């Protein structure tokens, strides 16, 4: 088991290198620093001097891969690749266009992101599973049929609509909760409520429908018939036998996104003015701050791979067939 | 010629896709076992109703994909000059909507502008809501407003109903002749739902759509049904124009996805070994990068390219079109991994089946085994993925446009509409009609697509379906 | 005596389809009542109707089920739960799927104990252990904490039985309880069931398709056909003289030792049950049918201790005597296919760098030769490596070592196409061996195309010829596989193998997925083809009855090695290896076993990953001695080409 996990961890390294090379290619080769400068400074009236100045300011004035002018190891270290791409392995992301340290920003913004994303995940999971189990319990009745139709309707509505409608009705019209903003501590609770509510509702459609499919697949299996033949009640069959098996794919699906919770949600955070990593990312994209985008790409990939490894571990933890073989 | 046809990149691809779909339909009709699941789809009322709605959207989208440039009236015949504005057949059909531009916002069906202005009235200058240039301009008296709207709505309803009844009569006559049934007998069979196809639902949905269209046409000829936007353009027109954008993103993206997903997925599952390792590595890398960020990075690059090569594009429409195509490409490249993974798993299973072993026992080549044994048996998964992904892509467009990495800001799209209208929500009273129209049309398209996808999935994948 | 279970006029339907149509029977306490019939005749649906556990969409339309004093069908669901597991319990066919994979065995049994006997905590655990002991699970205390996947098939089925017994039911319904198990394990499980019946005076409803199982276990027998019960009687009477034409044909379709003639087949198929069925349901397939059979549904007729639904009851001609044609003895000639020292080892990779830590020795040093026009049967239980041998011979799996020679020419990867023209394979499952997306003609053409046999018109002609040869209609070529039944599909598969005119065909249990009557058709066909074309067969199977019928020679495999080899008559009638003896003895037979007592093997076949030291069979062998634990036995020749690998036999005079 330990060897297996170690192997998975080591497998993550080539993946991260691949991500790194890909971002390097996208940001520095396909799209040269000159192009970036031109885009930032405005295409029309730009002088070569201004471009040079911009490049120096951002540290993009070095050669890409090999610095022929430098000597010794500086030949490799005094390059864009080393300073802007390879450095990310040490979690050194440099500074954004606003001059702030990206690493610092990430550390302070993780908290607010998590404050929204974690409740959304936990509450959403509970709501969706309850809804799905209800539909499965009433399967092949009109209740189930209309439940599925409701799910399809809910998932056909744009996520943006949920946010705008929530903000408009709950916050603006009925004045129940603040429309946006964030605060730390207990005081922050009322700010969190609306975004969490909106995100959970937005996720019910696809979530409950997916879980229903999983449970229905389990309920058609032979062991369910065995359990019924023992004389167990339908509720007990559902909760003890079906739920236990159905939770395996559900839980592993959840584990993979756990680390990504730190990244927050782009749209929710930006609409509700949450100072998390999601709104940080979106601001960077809109301001075309390449350093931040690069950092977030790397961080996202890193967290995703952590999620993959956690999934492997959790799989062997919840499923005895994997654990004991 | 009074016009010059313009074929944008996406137009060409859309019609290529249409041709491919028609060829596939022809092929499927000739193969009973391929046709069978479609018969099941055709028997589901929900799926057929949804297909009808989808069909309406597709027709608008196709009409909107036939582009041309008008000849300038004063240009000489031997050296014609053409307008820089690229229009479509759809624009020509609804030219009234396009040209009747107001000054700024106006509410749905309104007669007056949304903002007060200084206007001359009876020789005095007062600050009031001015009458619109077009909306309700035919009315002399403001009092007739409601009455006129009601009248037009009723007329439209009646027209829609009349057309529906006519169509229904034709259908009954055609069906009656084909099945040798008496009209009364056919009508009873239709009314009790024993036609073998969901006749009631189809007719009902068609009638509703025709009546809605009738009402819209009647109202739109005198008013701005969904109001006007900031620069006074008719919101109904913008919403209808956005349909094409949604359809292009939903279909062309999948077109990019398919070769990648099918090629890599089947190769990984069938060959295993190092081929599998390499492909898995590639898709883990792609998967691990947050999708929005990858799209954002790529779109920024395309933007740089477009802005630094203005000479390549002769019109603004061509520029926006290339950006749309680039967006489809990028989304395709980032989203093939899911389907590839599914196909890999399925191919892993199929390659161990006895009929593949039997083919190997004859020394049949890999290419032939894949094309005759593996691909035909995973095709239903591909099909399900196409219809399932469509709605997700339409919704994604809105989000991406909001983030600023979606379609060109000059392009009509629901995402741009929502993005543009979002800030106006803070106004008092609220400007809600742009958002409302965009969400309503998007919802109609996505819901229809989802319901149709459900029907297709249930028919093609009995493991998931059948237990409804 | 009042019966324990009385079923009267039970009708179960799915929509308009009546899968069970007016079935009545009784089961007394302490009696095993066998419900016999081919697949799709409604046996399982009858059982599920009794338990009221029909799948979604199915419901009992009419009839009554009386269990003791309880009217089962009118009970409210809440009370029905007390009956399920408490009054009547059920065990299912697939022990692999019927147990919850993520709950420990002890807990699964404990659930039933808590529900019906209010035993929880330590008391429940003790009771569960006692139950496992009772069904013969070794080391029961430890097994309580096992998950189902950690147990072998035989143990899982015992756990199922223990679970069924937990509520101390008065009636046990066993739905094909041993069909998924190997014969030696089947014998163990059936022993347990018989013992329990005697000890606890339970009534038992045994559902099976296997006449042998019925003969050895049942007290009374009911035969089902197309949703109806068509014959019923005490076992001895039934086996002495089956009265219904269908029952008789079932007997005649069964390959039995000592006859080499053609098997009787039942033409046609079970009619669909949704239409309006007029007359006797078996009439379209019945050779004795008269006009009355087609118009009037027959009523029950009593004949001594039996009753039968047939207009011609008692008036049928005596059982037709099978025309015994003696096996045409083809003299041993130059071997067509020679295999020497064949080994197939699958590496097991473990640990951090996926080092190979060992090998699964699926096939370990197997040598064979097959002669023209003769059949060599490769016999063994599941997991012994027999299928791997077949695939390695066609190089579908690359052998680790060993040589394959065709008529003297050694086959390597380079001249593999020679091999492929000369040897082909027929697979076990006719449903997975035909591509559902290809027309039958394309399926048959595939091999000819790949190997470049003839030109295009010749190939098309060959397709028509092949279809005729295997007895399929001429228009079959333009249809897709789903239009054909299991037996017809297997004919298509045989035609596909024959398309490249091979001289040897490897048949991997081609009849094991088929019903007896269809099996007879396929066996007849294989025999005809052998005679017409002089084919050599390597027949891989676990079904000894088929081997006796078809094979000239037999090789018995155990854990990747051949342990006994000789002519079919020698090996099956006078087996010498203790494993072969046990295997032959474990097969349930219609005729009473002659002479010597029944040998029961203990335990399961060990994993080929880690075979026991010395003779692989020694842990289960009743004759094992010290030397068996030390060294693998060499070949002991018994004359007439018959040899074994056994120290015990070698030590005998």
């Amino acid at each position: 088991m330990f060897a297996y996990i170690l192997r998975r961890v080591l497998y993550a390294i080539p993946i991260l290198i691949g991500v790194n090379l890909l971002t390097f290619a996208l940001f520095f080769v396909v799209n040269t620093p000159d192009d970036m400068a031109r885009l930032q400074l405005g295409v029309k009236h730009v002088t070569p001097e201004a471009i040079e100045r911009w490049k120096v300011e951002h540290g993009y004035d070095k050669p890409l891969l090999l610095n022929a002018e430098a000597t010794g190891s500086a030949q490799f270290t005094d390059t864009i690749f080393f300073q802007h791409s390879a450095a990310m392995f040490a979690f050194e992301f440099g500074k954004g266009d606003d001059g702030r340290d990206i690493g610092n920003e990430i550390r302070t913004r993780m908290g607010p992101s998590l404050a929204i994303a974690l409740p959304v995940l936990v509450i959403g999971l509970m709501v969706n599973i309850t809804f799905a189990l209800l539909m499965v319990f009433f399967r092949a009745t009109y209740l189930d049929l209309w439940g599925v139709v409701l799910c399809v309707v809910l998932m056909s509505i744009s996520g943006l609509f949920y946010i705008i409608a929530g903000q408009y009705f709950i916050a603006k019209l009925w004045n129940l909760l603040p429309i946006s903003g964030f605060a730390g501590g207990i005081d922050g609770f009322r700010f969190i409520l609306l975004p969490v509510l909106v995100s959970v509702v937005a996720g019910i459609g696809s979530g409950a429908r997916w879980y229903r499919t999983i449970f229905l697949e389990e309920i058609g299996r032979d062991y369910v018939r065995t359990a019924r033949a023992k004389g167990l009640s339908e509720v007990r069959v559902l909760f003890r036998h079906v739920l236990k098996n159905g939770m395996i794919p559900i839980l592993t699906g959840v584990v993979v996104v756990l680390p990504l919770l730190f990244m927050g949600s782009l749209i929710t955070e930006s609409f509700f003015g949450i100072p998390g990593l999601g709104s940080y990312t979106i601001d960077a994209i809109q301001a075309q701050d390449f350093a931040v985008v690069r950092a977030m790409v790397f961080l996202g990939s890193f967290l995703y791979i952590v999620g993959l490894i956690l999934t492997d571990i959790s799989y062997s933890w919840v499923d005895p067939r994997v654990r004991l073989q | 010629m009074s016009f010059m046809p313009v074929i944008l990149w996406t137009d060409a691809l859309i019609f290529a896709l249409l041709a491919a779909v028609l060829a596939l339909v022809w092929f499927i009709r000739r193969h009973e076992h391929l046709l069978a699941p479609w018969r099941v789809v055709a028997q589901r009322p929900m799926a057929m109703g949804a297909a009808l709605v989808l069909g309406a959207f597709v027709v608008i989208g196709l009409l909107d994909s036939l582009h041309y440039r008008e000849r300038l009236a004063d240009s000489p015949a031997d050296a014609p000059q053409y307008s820089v504005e690229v229009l479509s057949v759809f624009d020509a059909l609804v030219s009234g909507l396009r040209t009747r531009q107001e000054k700024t916002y106006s509410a749905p069906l309104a007669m007056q502008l949304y903002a007060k202005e200084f206007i001359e009235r009876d020789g005095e200058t007062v600050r009031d809501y001015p009458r619109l240039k077009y909306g309700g301009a035919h009315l002399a008296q403001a009092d007739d407003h409601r009455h006129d709207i009601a009248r037009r709505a009723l007329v439209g309803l009646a027209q829609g109903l009349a057309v529906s009844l006519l169509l229904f009569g034709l259908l009954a006559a055609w069906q009656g002749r084909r099945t040798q049934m008496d009209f009364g007998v056919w009508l009873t069979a239709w009314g009790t739902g024993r036609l073998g196809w969901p006749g009631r639902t189809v007719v009902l949905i068609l009638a509703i759509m025709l009546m809605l269209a009738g009402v819209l046409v009647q109202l739109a000829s005198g008013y701005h049904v969904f109001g006007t936007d900031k620069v006074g353009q008719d919101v109904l027109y913008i919403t209808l124009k956005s349909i094409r954008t949604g359809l292009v993103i939903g279909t062309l993206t999948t077109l990019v996805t398919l070769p990648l997903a099918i090629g890599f997925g089947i190769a990984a599952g069938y060959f295993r070994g190092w081929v599998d390792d390499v492909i898995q590595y590639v898709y883990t890398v792609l998967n691990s990068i947050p999708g929005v960020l990858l799209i954002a990075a790529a779109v920024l690059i395309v933007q740089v390219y477009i802005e630094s090569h203005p000479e390549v594009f002769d019109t603004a429409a061509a520029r926006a079109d290339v950006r749309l195509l680039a967006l489809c490409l990028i989304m395709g490249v980032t989203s093939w991994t899911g389907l590839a993974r599914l196909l890999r798993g399925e191919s892993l299973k199929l390659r161990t089946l006895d009929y593949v072993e039997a083919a190997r026992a004859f020394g049949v080549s890999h290419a032939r085994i894949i094309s005759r044994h593996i691909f035909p048996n995973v095709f239903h998964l591909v099909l399900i993925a196409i219809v399932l992904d469509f709605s997700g892509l339409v919704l994604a467009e809105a989000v991406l446009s909001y983030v600023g990495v979606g379609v060109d800001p000059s392009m009509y799209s629901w995402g741009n509409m929502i993005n543009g209208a979002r800030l106006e929500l803070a106004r008092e009273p609220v400007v809600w009609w742009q958002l409302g129209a965009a969400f309503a049309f998007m919802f109609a398209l996505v819901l229809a697509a989802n319901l149709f996808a459900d029907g297709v999935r249930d028919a093609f994948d009995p493991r998931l379906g059948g237990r409804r | 005596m009042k019966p324990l279970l009385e079923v009267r006029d039970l009708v179960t339907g799915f929509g308009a389809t009546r899968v069970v149509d007016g079935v009545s029977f009784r089961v007394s306490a302490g009696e095993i009542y066998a419900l016999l019939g081919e697949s799709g005749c409604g046996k399982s649906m009858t059982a599920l109707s009794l338990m009221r556990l029909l799948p979604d969409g199915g419901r009992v339309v009419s009839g009554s089920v009386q269990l003791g004093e309880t009217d089962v069908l009118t009970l409210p669901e809440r009370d029905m739960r007390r009956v399920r597991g408490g009054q009547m319990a059920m065990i299912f066919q697939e022990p692999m799927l019927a147990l919850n994979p993520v709950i420990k065995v002890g807990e699964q049994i404990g659930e039933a104990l808590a529900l019906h006997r209010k035993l929880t905590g330590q008391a429940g655990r003790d009771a569960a252990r006692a139950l496992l002991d009772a069904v013969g699970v070794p080391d029961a205390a430890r097994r309580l904490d096992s998950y189902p996947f950690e147990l072998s098939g035989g143990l899982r089925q015992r756990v199922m039985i223990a679970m069924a017994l937990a509520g101390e039911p008065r009636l046990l319904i066993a739905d094909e309880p041993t069909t998924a198990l190997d014969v030696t394990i089947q014998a163990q499980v059936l022993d347990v069931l018989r013992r329990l019946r005697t000890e606890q005076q339970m009534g038992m409803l045994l559902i099976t398709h296997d006449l042998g199982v019925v003969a050895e276990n049942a007290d009374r027998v009911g035969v089902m056909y197309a949703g109806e019960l068509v014959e019923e009687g005490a076992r001895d009477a039934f086996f002495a003289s089956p009265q219904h034409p269908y029952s008789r044909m079932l007997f005649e379709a069964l390959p039995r030792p000592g006859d080499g003639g053609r098997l009787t087949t039942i033409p046609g198929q079970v009619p669909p049950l949704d239409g309006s069925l007029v007359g006797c349901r078996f009439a379209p397939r019945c050779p004795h049918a008269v006009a009355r059979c087609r118009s009037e549904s027959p009523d029950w007729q009593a004949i001594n201790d039996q009753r039968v639904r047939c207009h011609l009851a008692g008036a049928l001609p005596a059982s037709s005597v099978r025309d015994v044609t003696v096996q045409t003895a083809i003299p041993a000639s130059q071997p067509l296919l020679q295999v020497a020292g064949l080994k197939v080892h699958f590496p097991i990779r473990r640990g951090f760098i996926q080092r190979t830590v060992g090998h699964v020795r699926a096939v370990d040093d197997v040598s064979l030769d097959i002669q023209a026009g003769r059949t060599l049967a490769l016999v063994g239980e599941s997991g012994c490596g027999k299928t791997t041998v077949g695939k390695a011979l066609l190089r579908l799996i690359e052998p680790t070592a060993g040589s394959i020679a065709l008529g003297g020419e050694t086959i390597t990867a380079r001249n593999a196409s020679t091999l492929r023209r000369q040897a082909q394979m027929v697979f076990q499952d006719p449903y997975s061996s035909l591509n559902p997306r290809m027309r039958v003609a394309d399926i048959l053409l595939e091999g000819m195309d790949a190997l470049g046999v003839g030109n295009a018109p010749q190939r098309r002609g060959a397709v028509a010829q092949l279809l005729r040869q295997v007895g399929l209609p001429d228009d079959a070529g333009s249809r897709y596989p789903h239009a054909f039944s299991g037996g017809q599909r297997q004919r298509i598969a045989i035609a596909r193998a024959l398309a490249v005119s091979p001289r040897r065909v490897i048949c991997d249990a081609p009849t094991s997925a088929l019903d007896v009557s269809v099996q007879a058709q396929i066996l007849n066909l294989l025999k005809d083809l052998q005679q017409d074309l002089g084919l050599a067969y390597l027949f891989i199977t676990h079904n000894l009855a088929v081997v006796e019928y078809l094979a000239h020679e037999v090789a018995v495999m155990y854990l990747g090695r051949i342990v006994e080899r000789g002519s079919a008559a020698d090996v099956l009638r006078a087996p010498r290896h203790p494993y072969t003896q046990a295997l032959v003895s474990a097969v349930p037979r219609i005729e009473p076993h002659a002479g010597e007592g029944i040998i029961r093997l203990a335990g399961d076949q060990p994993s080929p990953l880690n075979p026991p030291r010395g003779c692989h069979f020694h842990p289960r062998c009743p004759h094992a001695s010290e030397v068996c634990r030390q060294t693998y036995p060499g070949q002991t020749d018994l004359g007439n080409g018959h040899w074994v690998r056994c120290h015990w036999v070698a030590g005998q005079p």
Side-chain angles (χ1 to χ4, degrees), chain C residues 555-607:
Chain C
V556 181
M557 266 186 95
Y558 188 78
L559 272 189
R561 296 194 184 184
I562 292 177
V563 294
E564 181 161 4
R565 159 96 207 240
S567 73
D570 286 346
V571 173
L572 296 179
R573 307 246 175 89
R576 298 297 300 276
H577 196 284
Y579 175 65
T580 318
Q581 289 175 345
L583 205 59
V584 171
S585 158
V587 178
R589 285 174 197 279
I590 299 171
E591 301 83 5
H593 276 274
E596 76 257 49
I598 296 166
I599 307 164
R600 286 289 178 258
L601 282 185
D604 291 308
Q605 184 172 261
S607 154

Side-chain angles (χ1 to χ4, degrees), chain C residues 276-487:
Chain C
S276 52
L277 294 157
V278 184
C280 173
R281 293 183 180 184
F282 188 61
R285 305 174 72 184
C286 182
H288 310 292
V290 294
R292 189 177 165 213
C293 300
R294 297 196 178 85
S295 58
E296 191 186 328
S297 184
D299 216 338
W300 284 107
Q301 314 238 352
I303 300 172
N304 303 331
D305 217 8
Q306 284 161 278
R307 34 182 217 135
V308 59
R309 285 182 76 169
C310 179
H311 289 306
L312 304 169
L316 284 180
S319 280
S320 59
V321 179
R322 229 181 271 179
D323 43 332
V324 176
T325 52
V326 182
Q327 286 269 44
T328 37
I330 293 157
S333 58
Q334 165 79 21
L336 270 180
L337 178 70
Q338 276 176 304
V339 181
L342 185 75
K343 288 183 185 179
V344 182
H345 293 181
F346 300 111
I348 306 156
R349 299 181 201 279
R350 279 262 169 79
F352 174 57
I353 46 161
Q354 295 291 288
R355 205 157 31 89
T356 304
V357 293
H359 286 93
V360 177
R361 293 156 190 260
V363 179
D364 203 15
D365 198 6
V366 163
S367 302
L368 292 171
D369 50 72
I370 309 174
Q371 284 144 10
R374 288 172 73 91
T375 302
L376 169 66
L378 196 56
V379 180
E381 294 178 287
S382 55
C384 72
K386 54 190 193 301
T387 297
T388 312
V389 170
K391 291 191 173 167
L393 288 187
L394 286 179
R395 296 191 96 91
L396 288 173
I397 298 173
E398 221 27 58
T400 314
S403 70
I404 303 168
L406 276 178
E409 185 191 358
T410 308
I411 297 297
T412 60
R414 240 181 299 139
N415 56 1
S417 74
T418 320
L419 172 77
R420 295 191 159 134
R421 284 201 61 158
Q422 302 231 2
Q424 274 304 320
M425 188 149 181
V426 176
F427 295 88
Q428 175 170 1
D429 181 359
Y431 289 88
S432 75
S433 71
L434 301 178
N435 186 345
R437 314 264 174 206
M438 274 167 83
R439 267 187 262 258
V440 171
D442 293 329
I443 290 173
L444 300 185
L445 282 169
E446 185 171 43
M448 292 188 265
D449 287 346
L451 294 172
V453 180
N455 55 28
Q458 281 173 342
R459 287 178 203 164
R460 270 199 301 281
V463 167
Q465 159 83 23
L466 284 165
L467 288 174
R468 262 198 304 283
Q469 215 163 26
V470 298
L472 285 171
D474 289 341
D475 65 340
S478 60
R479 289 191 268 162
Y480 288 89
H482 65 79
F484 298 92
S485 67

Side-chain angles (χ1 to χ4, degrees), chain C residues 34-39 43 175-183 186-187 190 206-218 221-222 235 238-239 246 250-251 254-255 514-516 519 542-545 586-590:
Chain C
L35 217 45
L36 176 76
E38 294 183 289
S39 56
K43 316 182 291 276
D175 186 1
E176 304 269 11
T178 56
T179 307
L181 305 175
D182 279 319
V183 273
Q186 160 170 301
L190 289 174
L206 177 68
I207 292 170
T208 181
H209 67 280
D210 189 332
L211 276 169
V213 169
V214 175
E216 289 194 351
N217 297 282
V221 185
R235 177 198 42 195
F238 174 75
F239 278 86
Y246 175 64
L250 280 184
F251 276 95
L254 207 63
L514 305 175
D515 278 322
V516 189
Q519 163 175 294
H542 59 266
N543 187 335
L544 290 182
V587 178
R589 285 174 197 279
I590 299 171

Side-chain angles (χ1 to χ4, degrees), chain B residues 81-308:
Chain B
Q81 285 181 315
Y82 296 93
S83 155
V84 290
E85 196 179 10
V86 177
L87 296 175
S88 72
V89 172
F90 180 74
D91 289 324
L93 286 176
V94 298
S95 59
L97 288 180
R98 184 171 63 88
T99 51
R100 288 199 300 251
Q101 198 159 350
E102 307 289 347
K103 217 176 215 169
T104 181
Y105 289 117
S106 70
L109 300 172
M111 292 175 65
Q112 282 122 1
L113 214 53
Y114 186 67
K116 281 186 178 170
E117 275 182 10
F118 291 104
I119 46 174
E120 296 274 324
R121 187 179 291 161
D122 308 331
E124 273 179 80
T125 305
V126 291
R127 192 173 159 77
D128 198 1
Y129 299 106
R131 281 287 291 267
L132 292 175
K133 231 190 306 177
Y134 301 99
H138 57 287
L139 297 176
Q141 304 251 300
D143 300 347
D144 293 341
H145 188 197
R146 273 157 185 262
H147 179 240
D148 185 56
I149 290 174
R151 192 184 57 80
R152 281 169 184 268
L154 279 177
V155 170
L157 216 55
Q159 285 174 339
L161 198 63
V163 176
S164 323
L165 283 175
L166 184 72
L167 283 179
F168 183 61
L170 286 175
L171 174 80
W174 175 65
Q175 282 260 314
R177 257 188 56 183
R178 224 185 56 161
T179 53
Q180 304 286 318
M181 256 197 258
D182 200 44
F183 180 73
V185 178
W186 186 86
L187 208 62
T188 345
W190 174 81
T192 47
R194 276 176 303 171
L195 279 179
W197 57 286
R200 276 184 300 184
T201 316
V202 168
V203 170
L204 196 72
I205 298 266
L206 195 68
I208 291 175
M209 275 173 22
L210 283 170
M211 286 191 274
L212 268 179
V215 173
L216 272 182
V217 167
Q218 280 295 324
L219 288 175
S221 64
Y223 298 94
H224 299 290
V225 181
F226 291 140
T228 53
D229 73 351
K230 195 169 189 172
V231 294
Q233 210 167 18
D234 190 288
V235 172
L236 176 62
Y237 174 72
I238 303 176
T239 321
L240 290 173
K241 289 287 280 182
S242 303
I243 290 175
R244 176 178 182 270
T245 313
L247 290 178
V248 166
I249 290 189
T251 51
L252 291 193
T253 304
T254 328
L255 208 60
V256 178
T257 317
L258 286 189
L260 292 169
I262 294 173
F264 287 142
I266 292 181
Y270 179 75
F271 292 110
R272 293 169 58 192
W274 67 267
V275 179
D276 189 21
D277 289 342
V278 170
I279 292 170
Q280 283 212 63
Y281 172 75
V282 169
Y283 77 49
T284 314
V285 166
L286 273 181
N287 239 2
S288 75
I289 301 176
V292 183
L293 287 171
L294 195 56
I295 293 170
V299 166
L300 289 180
I301 288 161
V302 172
Q303 214 169 319
V304 170
Y305 174 81
I306 291 175
E307 291 191 14
S308 47

Side-chain angles (χ1 to χ4, degrees), chain C residues 251-270:
Chain C
F251 276 95
E252 286 161 14
L254 207 63
R256 278 194 260 181
D259 66 9
R262 292 181 67 78
L263 299 168
T264 305
T265 62
I266 308 180
Q269 283 165 36
V270 181

Side-chain angles (χ1 to χ4, degrees), chain B residues 31 33-34 353-355 357-364 368 372-373 376-377 380, chain C residues 391 396 420 424 427 432-438 442 446-447 450-451 480 496 500:
Chain B
H31 291 76
H33 69 291
L34 296 175
L353 283 190
D354 289 345
Y355 59 79
E357 295 254 337
R360 286 176 54 214
F362 287 120
V364 176
R368 231 175 139 72
R372 297 188 69 171
H373 293 289
N377 285 295
H380 67 285
Chain C
K391 291 191 173 167
L396 288 173
R420 295 191 159 134
Q424 274 304 320
F427 295 88
S432 75
S433 71
L434 301 178
N435 186 345
R437 314 264 174 206
M438 274 167 83
D442 293 329
E446 185 171 43
L451 294 172
Y480 288 89
R496 169 176 60 190
V500 294

